[in-house]
Amino acid sequence: MKYMILLFGSQRDYDAMAGRPGAEPAWTGEDVGKLAEFMQSWWAEVVESGEAVDAQGLTAPVHARRVRLVDGVPVATDGPYAETQEVLAGYNIVDCTSFDRAVEIAARLAKAPHPEGMPDDRWYVDVRPVADNAEESLA
């Protein structure tokens, strides 16, 4: 079965990783490099196991457009990009034998490197089964 591992962040996180002034905690180029190396190594292991399906990172929320109906008309606005609002930062899809195995794969992300002083519980990932049809998505 396929499972999606959803990674979350905020505009503040993107700003901190890009080294923008005032963004906390500040990431150094070395911090970002360690994270990139870790993520590449983690995904290479998933590929090697034969469980990899797809993986994509997303650009910063400031580049997003939100589309919603206003008085029956679709309207696009900038965002969401508020500093404190968490948004989808990327995803990985794995095809493995069980939900427990998908969680095991995702749990390895808990050891992702981050700047000194950043709380370990600041970030998280969600793991969700991918529905093959409408009935499964409503179950």
Side-chain angles (χ1 to χ4, degrees):
M1 180 158 189
K2 290 182 183 143
Y3 300 88
M4 184 175 280
I5 300 168
L6 303 153
L7 299 94
F8 295 90
S10 67
Q11 185 63 46
R12 178 183 64 193
D13 296 327
Y14 280 87
D15 289 346
M17 292 177 76
R20 291 191 181 88
E24 296 292 331
W27 286 66
T28 65
E30 184 178 344
D31 292 331
V32 173
K34 286 179 182 178
L35 177 61
E37 184 178 308
F38 174 88
M39 294 300 290
Q40 289 171 354
S41 174
W42 170 77
W43 190 244
E45 289 177 18
V46 177
V47 169
E48 188 175 310
S49 74
E51 296 166 305
V53 175
D54 189 24
Q56 299 294 324
L58 302 175
T59 62
V62 71
H63 301 295
R65 299 292 184 271
R66 177 164 281 170
V67 180
R68 66 177 83 196
L69 282 179
V70 177
D71 297 325
V73 177
V75 175
T77 57
D78 291 346
Y81 56 87
E83 273 185 16
T84 58
Q85 185 173 1
E86 292 181 341
V87 296
L88 186 63
Y91 68 87
N92 302 82
I93 298 176
V94 296
D95 191 349
C96 51
T97 57
S98 68
F99 206 153
D100 288 342
R101 175 62 183 146
V103 170
E104 181 181 308
I105 292 168
R108 295 196 318 243
L109 291 171
K111 294 184 180 179
H114 52 273
E116 189 74 31
M118 181 178 177
D120 288 338
D121 63 352
R122 166 109 177 243
W123 72 276
Y124 61 92
V125 300
D126 286 347
V127 181
R128 293 174 59 184
V130 175
D132 285 331
N133 55 54
E135 290 79 28
E136 284 185 7
S137 69
L138 299 174

